[in-house]
Amino acid sequence: MSTLLLNLDFGEPPPKKALEGNAKHRNFVKKRRLLERRGFLSKKNQPPSKAPKLHSEPPKKGETPMVDGTWKTPSFPKKKKTATCSNGSGQPLDKKAAVSWLTPAPSKKADSVAAKVDLLGEFQSALPKINSHPTRSQKKGSQKKSSKKNHPQKNAPQNSTQAHSENKCSGISQKLPQKMVAIDCEMVGTGPKGHVSSLARCSIVNYNGDVLYDEYILPPCHIVDYRTRWSGIRKQHMVNATPFKIARGQILKILTGKIVVGHAIHNDFKALQYFHPKSLTRDTSHIPPLNRKADCPENATMSLKHLTKKLLNRDIQVGKSGHSSVEDAQATMELYKLVEVEWEEHLAQNPPKD
């Protein structure tokens, strides 16, 4: 067994590896100190646990040697003596003394790599900072984003003009329903022989035909002829009727600022003693497109009863009980809706003069 141990003794190869390792380490320490003197490593700050200390004191006897460049490595003869067996029986001495050349190797490689990385970091930090130019893909992406942001601004005038042209005709009709009413009045005869027409009932409906106002009105003068066959007014209707002055104020409050539709509406305004602007007045007895739809002469004044029968296929003002102002106002609004778009376009191009 002793002969086998002597044959497996590798005392001579280790010193060569240790010598090579020590020489590389000494060169590294020299280069590092040279860089420190020249100021390349003056700004280096590392945690004490990771960065090697260049000016640390040599280790005491019995401690494990550290490869940090601050102490001289043991000479080759000393390692050779520690590596050999002392009693000739082949038993090695203490592990620390026997294989001291093996311990620095892993830390040496790690420290050398760390040192190189640190030197590279110091060199890069000393270089001036250069702003990186964007790549082609980044430029294209930024151009697309900017074009998307600016595109709505460029198209904003075009969209506004298109919307204006599209809504030029439809915008009028959209605003009309809110400010459009239809009116119809029933009159009784006052004055000499009942030849003066006085207001006795007034009905106002909105664009959809809903009743906004419907009241019997007491004329300021004595009633001579109730005209029941046409007006539907009787003596009992005047018992609790609203006085003309009060009713007129209520009616004008509704009509002011609105487009008023009526059939032969000038008679209604005359009974109300009121003048409404022509630009806000729509008289279905003088609308040529409506007469054309009814196959009547354009300039002829057709009765509300005839137009309603012809275009709406509905009978109104039938019987001896008289007319209903609510029914007539609703029929007038329905007739006007048939030609509303066409007539409003005509009025927009040829506005009536007040």
Side-chain angles (χ1 to χ4, degrees), residues 42-78:
S42 59
K43 297 181 180 180
K44 183 176 179 183
N45 292 321
Q46 287 185 347
S49 60
K50 295 182 180 180
K53 296 182 181 180
L54 298 178
H55 300 288
S56 59
E57 295 180 357
K60 296 179 181 180
K61 293 181 179 181
E63 293 181 351
T64 304
M66 300 294 291
V67 183
D68 55 0
T70 57
W71 54 282
K72 295 182 180 180
T73 57
S75 62
F76 173 72
K78 290 181 181 179

Side-chain angles (χ1 to χ4, degrees), residues 252-274:
L252 297 186
K253 197 172 183 179
I254 298 173
L255 301 183
T256 303
K258 291 184 176 64
I259 296 175
V260 183
V261 182
H263 194 81
I265 197 171
H266 60 280
N267 294 324
D268 300 328
F269 289 154
K270 185 178 179 180
L272 284 167
Q273 301 177 9
Y274 170 68

Side-chain angles (χ1 to χ4, degrees), residues 174-180 207 258:
Q174 290 176 358
K175 293 180 181 179
L176 290 181
Q178 298 179 357
K179 294 186 177 182
M180 182 176 286
Y207 187 81
K258 291 184 176 64

